[in-house]
Amino acid sequence: MAFGNHSITEETFELIKSLLPEGKTILELGSGYGTEQLSKHYKLFSVEHNPNWVGKYNSTYIYCPLINQDKSEFEQWYNIDLVLEELPKDYDLLLVDGPPSDFRRTNFINHITKFNKEAIWVFDDLQREYDLITYKKVCEMLEKEEKIIDCGQKMVGIVEH
Ligand SMILES: C[S@@+](CC[C@H](N)C(=O)[O-])C[C@H]1O[C@@H](n2cnc3c(N)ncnc32)[C@H](O)[C@@H]1O
């Protein structure tokens, strides 16, 4: 296991460390090797759709299957309404790094109001067409300036509130 590929890159890990003081709380969508590394510095909550990745690392896992699995990936996303009560109320950074695939994360924009707008939002994988479109749409909806950072293998977008 290493940074990059299925996980955030080391540059993204360092970026998060530069944005967020040690000991703060992160809610991430999608768990992996990056969870283990981040959990050495932060309190982690992980929304995870795949039972094989639940409980693997030092995080409070929120198992959340996807909806519309028989439909196009553009219609699939976490069944977030099932777990709203389990989401932490106060967190300092939201890492949008799931569900996997090039298209599923477009649905984030339909659920913006369910996440803490006081937190910093970090969007991974903006080198992908639809993740970039989604990030830009979020910035437009919230009237925030776009901040896109080259994090090595991946591009990352920040929304600071
Ligand atoms: C992009 S990954 C999330 C990565 C995580 N935020 C990190 O930095 O390690 C999205 C999903 O892929 C799955 N996944 C995580 N690590 C994986 C791996 N090494 N190989 C295949 N799938 C993985 C999990 O279901 C996870 O929710």
Side-chain angles (χ1 to χ4, degrees), residues 17-51:
K17 282 191 12 190
S18 73
L19 290 170
L20 195 66
E22 293 244 349
K24 296 281 188 183
T25 301
I26 296 177
L27 172 63
E28 67 174 358
L29 306 182
S31 168
Y33 174 78
T35 310
E36 178 173 65
Q37 300 309 313
L38 289 168
S39 74
K40 293 175 184 168
H41 304 272
Y42 303 107
K43 182 170 172 44
L44 261 282
F45 289 84
S46 307
V47 172
E48 177 54 54
H49 78 288
N50 184 337

Side-chain angles (χ1 to χ4, degrees), residues 47 62-65 78-88:
V47 172
I62 302 158
Y63 172 58
C64 186
Y78 298 108
N79 194 350
I80 203 76
D81 294 327
L82 266 190
V83 299
L84 277 185
E85 291 301 311
E86 291 176 60
L87 298 181

